[in-house]
Amino acid sequence: MKAIRTEGLTKYYGKSRGIVGVDLSVEEGDLFGFIGPNGAGKSTTIRLLLGLIKATDGRAEVFGKDVAGSRIEVLSEVGYLPSEASFYNGMRAGDIISLSASLRKKDCREEARVLCERLELDISKRVEELSLGNRKKVGIVCAMQHRPRLYILDEATSGLDPLMQREFYSLIRERNAEGATVFLSSHNLDEVQRYCRSAAVIREGRILVSDSVEKLAYTGVKRVTLKGTAQMPSLDGIKDIKTDGGNISFLYSGDKRELIARLAETPFEDITLTDPDLEEVFMHYYEREGN
């Protein structure tokens, strides 16, 4: 079964574009990254998946249920973490967590206790006393304590220190290993490359590409670094040139045999050829679409 499926999902805010013709397919049990710069349409897509706003056109389904017609059923299956969680001032963190559980009519006390312990969250503090990172932890507990089938996480680690980021992803991996689906919206490409199996790239409200992270990362482009030379080989297919003293680095997308032939004519002390990191790969997709 598809955990998430959208067809032609479109949202306009008056004349302003939200998203246009978004087709997504997320398999149940996947750990799926949803990547794009700020303003690309990630949060709009999530709000549509949750039924928080109405689509201008198209449809969205969660576990086979139409979001527009079965919003309450859909939300019962989902744990949602917004990018910026807001809580009632004057309430203690523990009260907020208990309120969240009671709204779902579930006893989550033991699960909440374990989560708070692992995230090192002091539930006795009032909301206005919490740092940004600790408010994020409250949101994580609220999203995870009822053990949903689907986690929809919007910029989940913003505000968390590196140790808590690692603990958060340990929790997500555990839940995913138990069968839960994770839909992770992020502009942190390192996170997506490290933790996700599949991903989609969104830009200006439209999906550019969607596939396994492994396939998305393979574009045939190589990062070439020449050490101990100030001479640039004459080649087509070179871009993103970087210089550092006598070192030159560039991305190369042309014929590899031609690269070897030209390099044989170029003086250098050492050479490395590597696959570009995911950030460079996705810049390739953005630039290709822009052209």
Side-chain angles (χ1 to χ4, degrees):
M1 178 186 292
K2 303 291 184 185
I4 295 172
R5 187 169 71 90
T6 71
E7 293 180 347
L9 195 60
T10 299
K11 177 64 179 179
Y12 279 95
Y13 301 97
K15 294 183 179 179
S16 298
R17 181 270 306 159
I19 60 173
V20 182
V22 166
D23 294 330
L24 278 176
S25 179
V26 179
E27 296 290 339
E28 187 170 4
D30 200 358
L31 211 168
F32 191 96
F34 194 44
I35 310 164
N38 292 333
K42 301 189 300 296
S43 293
T44 293
T45 303
I46 285 175
R47 293 182 184 120
L48 288 166
L49 290 174
L50 296 168
L52 300 178
I53 56 177
K54 292 184 178 180
T56 305
D57 199 4
R59 60 184 282 117
E61 294 180 355
V62 172
F63 295 120
K65 298 181 180 72
D66 180 69
V67 173
S70 307
R71 179 169 172 264
I72 301 302
E73 292 179 64
V74 166
L75 290 178
S76 70
E77 306 266 27
V78 175
Y80 169 50
L81 178 65
S83 58
E84 297 180 7
S86 298
F87 304 110
Y88 296 114
N89 284 338
M91 291 186 70
R92 299 185 188 279
D95 296 330
I96 292 168
I97 293 167
S98 296
L99 174 61
S100 175
S102 68
L103 292 172
R104 295 184 177 277
K105 300 179 180 180
K106 289 188 175 183
D107 183 354
C108 303
R109 285 175 293 183
E110 179 57 23
E111 190 63 36
R113 183 194 66 78
V114 172
L115 289 167
C116 290
E117 185 176 292
R118 291 184 63 173
L119 294 170
E120 300 178 8
L121 174 63
D122 182 353
I123 62 173
S124 67
K125 289 189 175 181
R126 299 185 186 278
V127 169
E128 56 269 29
E129 299 172 338
L130 297 176
S131 65
L132 173 62
N134 281 317
R135 288 198 297 272
K136 177 69 77 171
K137 293 177 188 179
V138 174
I140 291 170
V141 175
C142 290
M144 299 186 73
Q145 64 178 341
H146 59 295
R147 288 189 166 269
R149 292 173 66 192
L150 171 64
Y151 295 90
I152 295 182
L153 312 170
D154 194 358
E155 302 294 348
T157 58
S158 62
L160 295 180
D161 65 48
L163 287 176
M164 284 300 104
Q165 288 181 23
R166 182 163 52 179
E167 186 61 32
F168 168 76
Y169 276 111
S170 292
L171 287 165
I172 289 302
R173 280 175 155 174
E174 290 167 17
R175 298 295 175 88
N176 182 243
E178 293 168 1
T181 306
V182 181
F183 184 85
L184 177 69
S185 169
S186 179
H187 63 258
N188 187 326
L189 299 176
D190 180 62
E191 286 184 345
V192 172
Q193 186 168 27
R194 186 177 302 175
Y195 299 109
C196 296
R197 290 191 292 274
S198 308
V201 184
I202 187 169
R203 178 178 183 266
E204 295 183 357
R206 300 177 186 272
I207 299 295
L208 302 187
V209 64
S210 180
D211 211 326
S212 70
V213 169
E214 182 181 2
K215 289 182 179 178
L216 290 176
Y218 182 75
T219 60
V221 177
K222 293 292 182 182
R223 165 65 66 182
V224 181
T225 302
L226 302 176
K227 297 181 179 180
T229 181
Q231 184 175 336
M232 188 71 191
S234 177
L235 281 165
D236 293 330
I238 287 179
K239 60 190 298 186
D240 192 28
I241 301 170
K242 300 175 182 178
T243 59
D244 178 18
N247 302 329
I248 295 175
S249 176
F250 55 89
L251 290 177
Y252 180 70
S253 58
D255 187 298
K256 303 302 185 296
R257 290 169 296 184
E258 180 68 14
L259 172 66
I260 292 170
R262 294 293 183 181
L263 289 177
E265 303 168 355
T266 304
F268 58 85
E269 294 177 3
D270 198 4
I271 180 173
T272 59
L273 278 80
T274 60
D275 292 325
D277 61 30
L278 199 58
E279 182 170 0
E280 291 176 317
V281 169
F282 282 106
M283 286 306 299
H284 162 78
Y285 286 116
Y286 295 151
E287 292 168 0
R288 183 181 67 181
E289 184 69 13
N291 292 335

